């Protein structure tokens, strides 16, 4: 069996496709599940931590798993346009898969709130992009209304085909481990992914993980119990005040006996730097929320009964190159010196 053949080919019998469905794929999925021993050691984790590095999907985030199904179904339905509201990664993915399918992606984004890498992707793939004076929740409301008036297909995660495709990440984790993990941690924004993982774990294994979802502290409507009008966080991919899959996220939490809690931006950025410096894994800030949550909960002795037989997995949702400005802001700036060996050696700290 070829390792890289795209999630529809790989898990076809679990997905809503038929012989009539043209498969639009960029060979997404089959991302590595990496043991993070340095993080385990640094933070005294009593369990094994394995991270699912979804930044290695074709457009750099897990959104591709859902998009291959959503765009394939849109093409099957002969749609010429798909539309999404986006904090960035959905639009990057929709734009790329639409380009491949020969259809047009329409994108509505909150002005000034999209990381540079993501915006550049949507632009170069030829999406029609409009930036609104408003936030993600406003953008999603508008695209939902557009879908009622115009013959365009919505490809946000309220599209059930997105959830279907995204559940394949849970399948891959079980395939890699030979069983389901004991706990699974991930960031929660619009809550499509936690919904998808829980669906995937339920369909693929009899024994399932406890789900641990983490929102950013000032964008934590599910934790706070009410929509947040002006959500704030540096983790732009989870800067969402009124998640579309709110109820489903609560179901995942409650059916699995898990939690949805919040982590501060400082905790997120600390986990972000730790992944980069201790493991060589570069993610965008939102992706580190799950790790930030594990560090926080380990400190609270939540895992006191765990041992090195206990397997915890965490989704790293998107690649660090999506948001290069943040990486530079979080690092020491290189000194500028004259081109002389002594000066360079001294500046490098080896003299
Ligand atoms: C979309 C996204 C999220 C949030 O996922 P939801 O399904 O909206 O909860 C988190 N991280 C990254 C990098 C994303 O692109």
């Amino acid at each position: 069996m070829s390792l890289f053949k795209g999630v529809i080919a790989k898990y076809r019998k679990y997905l809503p496709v038929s012989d009539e469905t043209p498969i639009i794929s960029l060979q997404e999925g089959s991302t590595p599940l990496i043991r993070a021993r340095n993080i385990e050691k640094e933070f005294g984790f009593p369990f094994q931590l394995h991270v699912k590095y979804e930044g290695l999907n074709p457009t750099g985030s897990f959104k591709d798993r859902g998009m291959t199904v959503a765009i394939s179904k849109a093409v099957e339905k002969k749609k010429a346009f798909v539309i999404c509201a986006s904090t960035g990664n959905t639009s990057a993915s929709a734009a790329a898969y639409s380009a491949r399918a020969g259809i047009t992606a329409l994108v509505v984004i909150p002005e000034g709130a999209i990381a540079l890498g993501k915006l550049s992707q949507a632009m170069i793939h030829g999406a029609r992009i409009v930036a609104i004076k408003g936030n993600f929740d406003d953008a999603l409301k508008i695209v939902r209304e557009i879908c009622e008036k115009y013959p365009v297909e919505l490809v946000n995660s309220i599209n059930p085909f997105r959830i279907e495709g995204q559940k394949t990440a849970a399948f891959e984790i079980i395939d890699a481990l030979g069983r389901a993990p004991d706990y699974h941690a991930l960031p929660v924004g619009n809550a499509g992914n936690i919904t998808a993982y829980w669906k995937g774990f339920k369909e693929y294994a009899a024994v399932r993980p406890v789900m641990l979802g983490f929102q950013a502290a000032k964008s934590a409507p599910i934790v706070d119990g009410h929509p947040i009008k002006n959500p704030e966080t540096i983790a732009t991919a989870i800067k969402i005040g009124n998640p579309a899959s709110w109820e489903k996220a609560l179901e995942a939490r409650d059916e699995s006996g898990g939690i949805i809690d919040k982590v501060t931006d400082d905790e997120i950025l600390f986990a972000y730097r730790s992944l980069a410096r201790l493991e060589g894994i570069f993610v965008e800030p939102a992706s580190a929320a799950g790790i930030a949550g594990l560090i926080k909960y380990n400190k609270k002795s939540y895992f006191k009964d765990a041992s090195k037989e206990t397997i915890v997995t965490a989704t790293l949702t998107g690649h660090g190159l999506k948001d290069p400005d943040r990486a530079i802001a979080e690092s020491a700036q290189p000194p500028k010196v004259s081109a002389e060996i002594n000066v360079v050696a001294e500046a490098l700290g080896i003299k």
Side-chain angles (χ1 to χ4, degrees):
M1 185 175 92
S2 150
L3 268 177
F4 294 95
K5 50 183 190 176
V7 299
I8 297 179
K10 203 170 163 192
Y11 295 112
R12 193 176 175 93
K13 68 175 184 200
Y14 295 91
L15 295 170
V17 294
S18 70
D19 292 346
E20 276 70 61
T21 317
I23 306 304
I24 311 299
S25 172
L26 287 162
Q27 298 183 19
E28 60 293 316
S30 301
T31 55
L33 185 68
I34 305 170
R35 178 89 184 256
R37 289 181 195 270
N38 297 334
I39 296 252
E40 287 174 24
K41 207 165 159 211
E42 177 78 10
F43 299 108
F45 287 172
F47 49 80
Q48 293 180 29
L49 173 63
H50 300 252
V51 294
K52 184 73 169 155
Y53 192 13
E54 288 288 276
L56 295 190
N57 275 296
T59 77
S61 85
F62 72 82
K63 300 297 197 298
D64 295 341
R65 292 180 185 274
M67 207 54 75
T68 181
V69 183
I71 299 293
S72 296
K73 295 302 281 187
V75 174
E76 182 181 350
K77 288 190 250 174
K78 307 262 186 290
K79 301 278 182 172
F81 296 96
V82 296
I83 191 167
C84 64
S86 184
T87 63
N89 282 331
T90 298
S91 64
S93 187
Y97 282 79
S98 295
R100 195 157 172 85
I103 62 175
T104 302
L106 310 174
V107 170
V108 181
I109 54 173
E111 186 186 12
I114 305 292
L116 200 62
K118 305 176 189 183
L119 185 59
S120 71
Q121 289 176 287
M123 290 171 74
I124 197 67
H125 291 305
R128 283 188 208 162
I129 308 169
V130 175
I132 59 159
K133 292 188 197 333
N135 60 29
F136 172 82
D137 303 288
D138 302 321
L140 184 58
K141 185 161 174 285
I142 289 176
V143 301
R144 289 177 101 148
E145 286 167 12
I146 287 179
C147 288
E148 283 168 19
K149 283 202 167 164
Y150 302 91
V152 301
E153 181 85 342
L154 186 67
V155 294
N156 280 103
S157 60
I158 30 184
N159 178 328
F161 299 130
R162 283 274 312 278
I163 304 294
E164 290 300 309
Q166 284 171 212
K167 77 185 178 188
T168 60
F171 297 173
E172 287 181 4
I173 289 175
I174 294 170
D175 284 342
L177 295 172
R179 67 162 172 102
D182 299 295
Y183 298 85
H184 184 77
L186 78 175
V188 175
N190 216 19
N193 215 27
I194 191 169
T195 301
Y197 269 86
W198 184 237
K199 188 167 197 289
F201 284 130
K202 284 200 293 187
E203 286 179 16
Y204 214 66
V207 181
R208 295 144 193 169
V210 171
M211 299 295 288
L212 310 174
F214 294 96
Q215 302 200 285
K218 290 182 180 162
S219 306
I222 298 177
V223 185
D224 295 346
H226 56 81
I228 307 294
K229 207 161 171 11
N230 295 307
E232 283 303 333
T233 171
I234 51 85
T236 50
I238 53 173
K239 188 176 167 186
I240 291 174
N242 192 8
S245 300
W246 191 317
E247 288 303 320
K248 293 277 186 193
L250 293 179
E251 260 176 57
R253 180 193 69 185
D254 296 341
E255 288 178 20
S256 74
I259 49 171
I260 297 179
D261 201 348
K262 46 188 168 183
V263 283
T264 65
D265 279 6
D266 282 349
E267 289 170 324
I268 290 172
L269 288 171
F270 176 68
Y272 165 78
R273 291 190 305 268
S274 299
L275 278 165
R277 298 199 180 153
L278 298 172
E279 300 289 0
I281 298 176
F282 189 24
V283 300
E284 63 167 284
S287 302
I291 303 299
L294 291 177
I295 295 171
K296 176 173 168 165
Y297 269 70
N298 187 52
K299 271 196 205 140
K300 288 203 219 180
S301 303
Y302 177 83
F303 298 104
K304 63 178 185 310
D305 297 329
S307 70
K308 284 291 171 190
E309 306 281 287
T310 309
I311 298 183
V312 179
T313 49
T315 312
L316 305 180
T317 44
H319 201 284
L321 288 172
K322 295 278 189 173
D323 195 354
D325 294 336
R326 178 57 55 185
I328 291 169
E330 288 300 307
S331 308
Q333 305 308 304
K336 294 189 178 111
V337 301
S338 59
E340 293 166 68
I341 178 168
N342 287 339
V343 182
V344 173
E346 184 163 2
L348 290 172
I350 54 173
K351 195 178 156 189

